[in-house]
Amino acid sequence: MKVPTSGKRVKIIINVEAQRSNPTYNLTQRAFFYMSRLLSSQKERDFVGENYDDICKVYTVWLCFYLPKGQTSSITHYRPQEICEVGDFHESKEHYDLFDITLVHIGHDDEKTDTLLKFLYLVFMSRLSDEEREARLKKKFWN
């Protein structure tokens, strides 16, 4: 893949997880743990020795087919951010922007729901026959 602005070739890791039930642990913390494993597993596979400049950015997307109590459908991103508390040192973003975690909680399809979330609900959550699902998708998204 090439970066549009610089034309530099890069490699990224994209992971997609489906969560069908509400676990007893915090899913956000599990996503961070899993992302950390994807980053660290690159050593000796994608880069050798101390050549840390070859670390690939990790994107992990979690499709959650349940809503925690009190939450609504949502798409939430977690990304690193530089905060210089003292002094004026700033690192190039490419050196710390190594992951993007996205949690997509798919809930009920109502009028307030985002279009993408409505689409995902219809595809994954609705208890419709394939024919009815296809008809509704065409009606809502292809007209």
Side-chain angles (χ1 to χ4, degrees), residues 74-117:
S74 62
I75 300 173
T76 306
H77 293 278
Y78 300 92
R79 300 177 181 130
Q81 175 184 349
E82 179 184 58
I83 301 170
C84 183
E85 297 288 346
V86 177
D88 195 27
F89 176 82
H90 295 283
E91 185 63 72
S92 174
K93 186 175 181 180
E94 70 186 61
H95 294 146
Y96 64 84
D97 187 22
L98 297 176
F99 69 86
D100 186 300
I101 298 170
T102 303
L103 271 67
V104 181
H105 287 96
I106 303 167
H108 302 289
D109 177 10
D110 60 33
E111 285 145 31
K112 298 178 192 174
T113 305
D114 174 84
T115 302
L116 173 60
L117 291 168

Side-chain angles (χ1 to χ4, degrees), residues 128-139 142:
L128 304 171
S129 69
D130 291 343
E131 295 78 21
E132 179 64 21
R133 180 178 287 111
E134 182 179 352
R136 288 193 188 182
L137 283 167
K138 285 179 179 176
K139 182 180 177 185
W142 282 278

Side-chain angles (χ1 to χ4, degrees), residues 12-19 31 34-35 38 57-63 100-102:
I12 60 174
I13 296 172
I14 300 173
N15 173 60
V16 178
E17 297 274 332
Q19 303 299 314
Y34 196 74
M35 175 277 310
L38 289 170
K57 182 168 183 172
V58 172
Y59 291 88
T60 183
V61 178
W62 295 57
L63 300 176
D100 186 300
I101 298 170
T102 303

